[in-house]
Amino acid sequence: MNRGIDYRTDFYSLGVTFFELLTGKLPFDTSDPMELVHAHIARIPEGFGNGEEIPPIISDIVIKLMAKNAEDRYQSALGLKYDLEQCLQQWQATGGIISFKLGERDICDRFLIPEKLYGRENEVQTLLDVFERVADGATEIMLVAGFSGIGKTAVVNEVHKPVVKQRGYFIKGKFDQFNRNIPFSAFVQAFRDLMGQLLGESDAELANWKAKILEALGENGQVIIEVIPELEQIIGKQPPIPELSGSAAQNRFNLLFGKFVRVFTTKKHPLVIFLDDLQWADSASLNLLKLLMDESETGYLLVLGAYRDNEVFAAHPLMLTLNDISKKGANIDTLTLTALVEEDITRLVADTLLCSTEIATPLSQLVYQKTRGNPFFATQFLKGLHEDGWITFEAKLGYWQCNLAQVRLLALTDDVVAFMGERLRKLPEATQEILKLSACIGNQFDLETLAVVCEKSQDKVAADIWGALQEGLVFPVTENYKFFQEDKVGEQQTDTVSVCYRFLHDRVQQAAYALIPDNQKQITHYHIGQLLLQKIPPETREDYIFELVNQLNYGTAFITEQKERDKLAQLNLIACRKARSSTAYQAGREYATTGLFLLGENPWQRQYDMTLYLYDIAAELASLCGDFKAMEQFVRAVITQAHSLLDQVHVYRLKILSNASHNKLSEAIVIAQEVLQQLGVTFPEAPTESNIQQAVAEINQLIGNREIEDLVNLPMMTDKEKIAIIQIANSIIPVAYVSGSPLFLLLVVLSVKLSIQYGNISVSALAYAAYGVITCNLLRNVDAGVKFGQLALQVASQLEAKTIKPEALFVAGMFISINLFQKLLAILMNWCRCGRT
């Protein structure tokens, strides 16, 4: 007997087939995929009975098969068969068919809980009203709060129909209770969903979307692909992006993600993003949520968020994020769902047992008493009663009956997880084992990965998990699971079939996870990670690095050989770098910390390069997260342990930038001077005009007979020491300028001299631009200053120095062009004076 897979969906397909057989056309005549989806979700097809060739009752039967609510369709094949036989008998006897009441013998012997909502009419209407405002051009955020199992997700899903009607996009993602360290997990799920919807559209429409996305992102599409890999299937392979440091990476990501989202938020296509279980969101996702709401001018955007209000507190990261969003002027509305009232539970029981509310009342009172009106608990309690044989179908009498006396005696725990655990233990042992491993993977999982971690074939895993599907504890995400249905398991399956499943509810996943003894949880995760590591080819390992490392990191206590710990440290370094490039700085810090922990004792002696890199990146990420105390600790370790000054340059630059960001300009300059001195560069304590003139004369001598613009053809600088000098000098040039330090001139001249002597690097562009300012203002040579400004832009373009180009443009535009304008204005005024005389 099947309890979980609802075959009433097959009745709908049968109705479509009958419709086409009888009319010669499909029920909804449109070539627009979005319109077709909306029609099947929300529109009722027109009847086709004409009283002559097709009696109206035949049309009524087909329309009943295609009812939008599963409860309004036929509930059993026997009921459909009976009605068709009635039609046949009338036709054979009289040559016609008189209408009669359909479904009189349609009694379902399968135990099915209705899919419709009870007692949420007002809340659903509130959400529909919000979407109407968004469809008119608003940007809104609506939160749905409540206890676990109260029906938050079900209420939000009711918005799906009107979104499709408006030709909009409804996408959703869910944060996972056991994988909270994966950056942007729910956003990735949501936008993968969106990419899948786009790929399902016509070639012409897909090409249109590709053009819009590329126009918005330009050459920086890889920034978004790093977070949403499926985007590459639409816009193609994109050029690599330069690695940015500091807040520049965050600013770039924010800018591009905002542009990316705006592509899909239009009057023609409103966008609804549903983020479930926000209480488990990572810090990067919460920052992204703030960014979305900062894009308030976008319009046509609705962010729906569901969270458990009993699991958050005033200082919870989610609540702090919402406070920040609110302070910036965004209107945040919250729907708080409470338990169902007894009347709603009565209607649920009556619809489940196909009886009147009067008959259902005695049982519904017991259900309400034991579940306290929690919808999820109530439905699972009813299913448990049926499984245990306390609710049975009397085939001879044609109705359901319940052993109320036994139900009253049941001692029901208030712990839903414990209750679900009892249900899971009644499943076959093989199914329980599958569910344990599935819970470790996540709320959503695919058959291919599951087969790897179970060390079985996909056919065998599909067969073992089938019992959970029948019980409704696990659901297929797509219809592809039918390739592995029970009657087909063992047949040759195609390797291209991708089958995804999801747990019915977080509490089911939690209960499955609880089946693993506490002392085996860590080793189970680690074993899963090891199996995935063996299966995933090295060249694609980075694509799955978060999922892989999160599993392996559970088992750090079990890795005794330092060689294996070093390998895992290397994987954490890869995860750290990817998290940083995705601007998930907090997650990156955790991976860096784990990597350093795994390296154990004497890492500087054993794994110098990896240790240096981990400390460098840990210091940078600590700075980006605002934890300057931790940054200082990492910086101190590098300064103490690094083999050379060149290996310390990165952390010294961090110290300089950190002091500058805290307006400690003098301290930043002192640090830079000390480092430069160690690199063999000293400056006079009080630079004089003669010092400046001498430095300028040296630059002119180095240029010689060459034109300034010819300096763009200098070779690339390769001397590591000279590169370090220019990097330190350039990191302090803005500080020296703002503070009015006389070192500004000397630092700029130093960078220009080294560039001409040893070759150009990306930061040479900024040095040339700054020297152009000096040439214009101090030397009063506007023509040469403009040429240096143009040289700066040419160097930035030739070296693809996208990270430095904005600064060079700013300097050239703000200072050099102004001087050029002033010169032209002076010439014009002089010409006017000459004209008057």
Side-chain angles (χ1 to χ4, degrees):
M1 181 183 295
N2 185 294
R3 304 182 183 92
I5 304 298
D6 190 346
Y7 287 105
R8 290 175 295 188
T9 56
D10 294 328
F11 285 140
Y12 186 90
S13 301
L14 183 61
V16 174
T17 303
F18 281 171
F19 192 103
E20 187 174 12
L21 281 172
L22 293 167
T23 65
K25 61 181 182 180
L26 291 169
F28 305 112
D29 186 16
T30 176
S31 58
D32 187 321
M34 291 297 294
E35 186 177 341
L36 187 61
V37 169
H38 169 255
H40 281 294
I41 290 176
R43 278 175 50 192
I44 300 174
E46 296 181 3
F48 50 83
N50 53 27
E52 298 177 0
E53 295 180 357
I54 304 176
I57 189 67
I58 297 296
S59 173
D60 293 343
I61 290 174
V62 175
I63 299 303
K64 182 176 177 65
L65 284 166
M66 296 181 63
K68 298 308 166 189
N69 292 323
E71 292 77 20
D72 297 328
R73 300 172 197 156
Y74 280 97
Q75 303 300 301
S76 67
L78 291 175
L80 173 61
K81 178 174 179 286
Y82 178 81
D83 286 347
L84 290 174
E85 286 176 341
Q86 290 292 100
C87 293
L88 177 62
Q89 291 170 9
Q90 287 193 43
W91 183 266
Q92 290 175 338
T94 65
I97 305 175
I98 301 173
S99 294
F100 56 91
K101 184 177 179 180
L102 298 178
E104 285 195 326
R105 298 288 181 91
D106 186 28
I107 302 297
C108 182
D109 63 348
R110 286 179 293 119
F111 189 80
L112 296 171
I113 304 291
E115 296 177 354
K116 61 184 178 182
L117 293 178
Y118 295 89
R120 303 300 189 200
E121 294 77 11
N122 293 334
E123 290 85 351
V124 169
Q125 188 56 52
T126 298
L127 287 178
L128 296 180
D129 292 341
V130 171
F131 177 71
E132 285 299 320
R133 295 197 295 270
V134 168
D136 289 335
T139 294
E140 297 207 20
I141 179 170
M142 172 66 77
L143 301 174
V144 182
F147 283 76
S148 173
I150 210 68
K152 301 181 292 295
T153 304
V155 168
V156 171
N157 282 333
E158 287 299 299
V159 182
H160 197 180
K161 292 180 182 179
V163 171
V164 177
K165 182 179 180 181
Q166 292 282 355
R167 301 175 61 81
Y169 291 103
F170 180 93
I171 59 177
K172 58 185 177 179
K174 181 181 180 66
F175 293 103
D176 194 285
Q177 56 190 322
F178 300 126
N179 291 294
R180 305 185 197 185
N181 201 35
I182 297 180
F184 309 116
S185 58
F187 282 101
V188 170
Q189 287 178 31
F191 280 96
R192 280 177 171 171
D193 184 4
L194 179 58
M195 297 304 104
Q197 293 183 45
L198 297 185
L199 289 168
E201 297 191 357
S202 65
D203 290 343
E205 191 66 22
L206 186 60
N208 185 38
W209 282 118
K210 176 181 178 180
K212 289 180 179 179
I213 296 170
L214 287 174
E215 182 181 1
L217 302 181
E219 297 180 353
N220 297 297
Q222 189 62 33
V223 173
I224 306 301
I225 291 175
E226 289 286 338
V227 179
I228 309 166
E230 286 73 12
L231 177 61
E232 189 173 271
Q233 299 178 39
I234 294 176
I235 64 175
K237 196 167 184 63
Q238 297 298 298
I241 51 174
E243 188 173 293
L244 299 182
S245 59
S247 59
Q250 182 76 66
N251 294 337
R252 177 179 65 182
F253 179 79
N254 290 352
L255 175 66
L256 292 172
F257 191 80
K259 289 183 176 181
F260 178 66
V261 171
R262 282 196 292 274
V263 171
F264 306 102
T265 53
T266 63
K267 185 174 184 179
K268 184 178 178 182
H269 299 287
L271 177 64
V272 178
I273 305 175
F274 173 36
L275 303 172
D276 204 358
D277 285 320
L278 277 170
Q279 74 277 356
W280 296 326
D282 60 287
S283 60
S285 295
L286 293 176
N287 289 332
L288 197 54
L289 180 61
K290 285 196 287 189
L291 172 64
L292 280 175
M293 300 319 299
D294 285 345
E295 299 288 331
S296 55
E297 74 279 2
T298 299
Y300 305 103
L301 172 65
L302 173 59
V303 177
L304 296 171
Y307 71 98
R308 299 178 184 177
D309 54 355
N310 62 307
E311 294 188 15
V312 300
F313 44 91
H316 189 282
L318 172 62
M319 306 314 293
L320 296 176
T321 299
L322 295 176
N323 287 336
D324 289 344
I325 293 173
S326 181
K327 288 177 182 177
K328 292 183 178 181
N331 184 28
I332 302 177
D333 293 318
T334 303
L335 277 177
T336 301
L337 302 185
T338 57
L340 297 180
V341 298
E342 189 171 340
E343 290 76 10
D344 296 325
I345 297 294
T346 300
R347 288 193 292 142
L348 168 65
V349 174
D351 290 345
T352 301
L353 302 184
L354 305 174
C355 65
S356 66
T357 54
E358 290 77 15
I359 295 175
T361 296
L363 175 59
S364 67
Q365 288 176 338
L366 292 174
V367 173
Y368 182 77
Q369 173 189 340
K370 292 182 178 294
T371 65
R372 300 180 182 179
N374 184 296
F376 175 74
F377 205 174
T379 56
Q380 295 307 307
F381 181 50
L382 286 170
K383 287 183 178 180
L385 293 177
H386 177 251
E387 288 176 7
D388 293 341
W390 309 127
I391 295 178
T392 56
F393 183 74
E394 295 295 329
K396 293 182 179 179
L397 301 175
Y399 60 75
W400 293 89
Q401 69 174 15
C402 177
N403 188 331
L404 292 175
Q406 185 60 44
V407 174
R408 287 192 185 94
L409 296 176
L410 290 177
L412 188 64
T413 174
D414 290 336
D415 187 345
V416 182
V417 174
F419 175 77
M420 295 307 304
E422 293 174 5
R423 284 194 61 196
L424 293 177
R425 289 187 183 91
K426 296 174 183 177
L427 295 171
E429 188 68 29
T431 303
Q432 291 185 47
E433 291 301 317
I434 293 289
L435 293 180
K436 291 177 187 177
L437 297 174
S438 301
C440 292
I441 295 171
N443 182 267
Q444 187 167 307
F445 49 93
D446 64 85
L447 184 60
E448 183 179 3
T449 301
L450 200 53
V452 172
V453 302
C454 293
E455 301 181 88
K456 297 178 181 178
S457 68
Q458 292 190 36
D459 284 351
K460 185 67 173 72
V461 173
D464 289 341
I465 205 172
W466 185 253
L469 265 71
Q470 288 182 304
E471 298 298 334
L473 299 170
V474 169
F475 278 86
V477 175
T478 65
E479 295 297 304
N480 289 346
Y481 81 97
K482 293 182 178 179
F483 285 103
F484 294 89
Q485 275 185 262
E486 199 169 28
D487 58 345
K488 296 181 180 180
V489 170
E491 298 177 9
Q492 184 66 32
Q493 306 296 344
T494 173
D495 293 335
T496 60
V497 175
S498 176
V499 183
C500 290
Y501 305 99
R502 64 173 177 84
F503 281 100
L504 167 66
H505 193 272
D506 296 321
R507 293 305 195 192
V508 179
Q509 181 190 7
Q510 199 172 342
Y513 191 73
L515 294 178
I516 307 173
D518 290 341
N519 61 356
Q520 294 182 22
K521 283 184 169 66
Q522 291 182 335
I523 194 64
T524 301
H525 279 288
Y526 180 66
H527 185 59
I528 289 173
Q530 287 281 44
L531 292 170
L532 291 175
L533 187 63
Q534 295 170 16
K535 186 69 176 179
I536 299 173
E539 60 272 16
T540 61
R541 197 167 286 168
E542 188 169 341
D543 295 337
Y544 305 94
I545 193 66
F546 296 135
E547 294 84 352
L548 186 60
V549 169
N550 284 357
Q551 296 289 345
L552 290 169
N553 282 350
Y554 274 96
T556 55
F558 301 99
I559 313 175
T560 55
E561 292 186 15
Q562 189 57 52
K563 183 179 179 180
E564 294 302 314
R565 294 176 71 86
D566 290 346
K567 288 180 180 178
L568 183 51
Q570 182 66 41
L571 291 174
N572 273 273
L573 176 56
I574 296 171
C576 178
R577 293 176 61 181
K578 186 167 185 178
R580 182 184 62 173
S581 67
S582 302
T583 70
Y585 299 136
Q586 185 57 44
R589 284 189 70 186
E590 294 177 20
Y591 291 126
T593 302
T594 303
L596 289 171
F597 167 75
L598 286 163
L599 288 176
E601 298 180 0
N602 304 317
W604 292 98
Q605 288 72 37
R606 293 187 308 96
Q607 292 284 349
Y608 178 79
D609 290 338
M610 188 181 358
T611 303
L612 176 64
Y613 200 111
L614 277 169
Y615 270 101
D616 276 352
I617 199 169
E620 181 181 345
L621 290 169
S623 173
L624 289 169
C625 291
D627 189 350
F628 296 101
K629 182 177 180 181
M631 184 205 78
E632 282 292 341
Q633 293 175 345
F634 290 123
V635 167
R636 197 177 305 115
V638 174
I639 293 174
T640 304
Q641 298 289 343
H643 291 172
S644 68
L645 180 60
L646 293 181
D647 287 345
Q648 300 169 357
V649 166
H650 178 76
V651 294
Y652 274 124
R653 290 183 68 202
L654 284 177
K655 281 178 67 72
I656 293 169
L657 295 173
S658 173
N659 278 283
S661 66
H662 286 82
N663 205 31
K664 297 178 179 179
L665 306 186
S666 299
E667 290 89 333
I669 292 174
V670 169
I671 295 170
Q673 281 186 287
E674 290 176 351
V675 176
L676 289 173
Q677 189 171 4
Q678 292 181 65
L679 289 167
V681 177
T682 57
F683 296 113
E685 293 184 6
T688 63
E689 186 176 343
S690 62
N691 296 136
I692 304 299
Q693 291 176 349
Q694 181 183 351
V696 171
E698 290 177 6
I699 288 179
N700 291 334
Q701 185 178 359
L702 288 170
I703 295 175
N705 296 325
R706 290 176 291 185
E707 296 292 334
I708 293 173
E709 50 266 31
D710 291 340
L711 298 179
V712 72
N713 298 318
L714 292 171
M716 286 289 295
M717 186 181 295
T718 57
D719 189 313
K720 292 182 179 180
E721 185 173 294
K722 300 303 184 290
I723 291 173
I725 292 172
I726 291 187
Q727 287 177 335
I728 293 294
N730 273 266
S731 67
I732 205 65
I733 283 176
V735 175
Y737 179 83
V738 171
S739 65
S741 170
L743 286 178
F744 169 72
L745 298 172
L746 298 179
L747 289 166
V748 172
V749 169
L750 171 66
S751 297
V752 172
K753 282 172 56 179
L754 291 177
S755 296
I756 297 174
Q757 286 179 300
Y758 298 96
N760 290 325
I761 56 172
S762 60
V763 291
S764 299
L766 180 59
Y768 289 138
Y771 189 69
V773 174
I774 294 172
T775 306
C776 286
N777 290 277
L778 184 65
L779 306 180
R780 302 299 179 186
N781 188 342
V782 176
D783 290 337
V786 170
K787 289 182 179 179
F788 271 107
Q790 292 171 340
L791 171 64
L793 302 182
Q794 290 174 341
V795 170
S797 298
Q798 186 181 70
L799 300 182
E800 296 187 355
K802 296 179 181 179
T803 61
I804 205 72
K805 191 172 183 179
E807 298 176 47
L809 280 168
F810 175 78
V811 174
M814 283 295 293
F815 299 102
I816 300 175
S817 297
I818 289 174
N819 278 277
L820 178 60
F821 174 75
Q822 290 174 340
K823 180 180 179 181
L824 291 173
L825 183 62
I827 293 172
L828 181 60
M829 292 178 66
N830 186 55
W831 178 82
C832 291
R833 284 195 298 269
C834 292
R836 285 198 301 271
T837 58

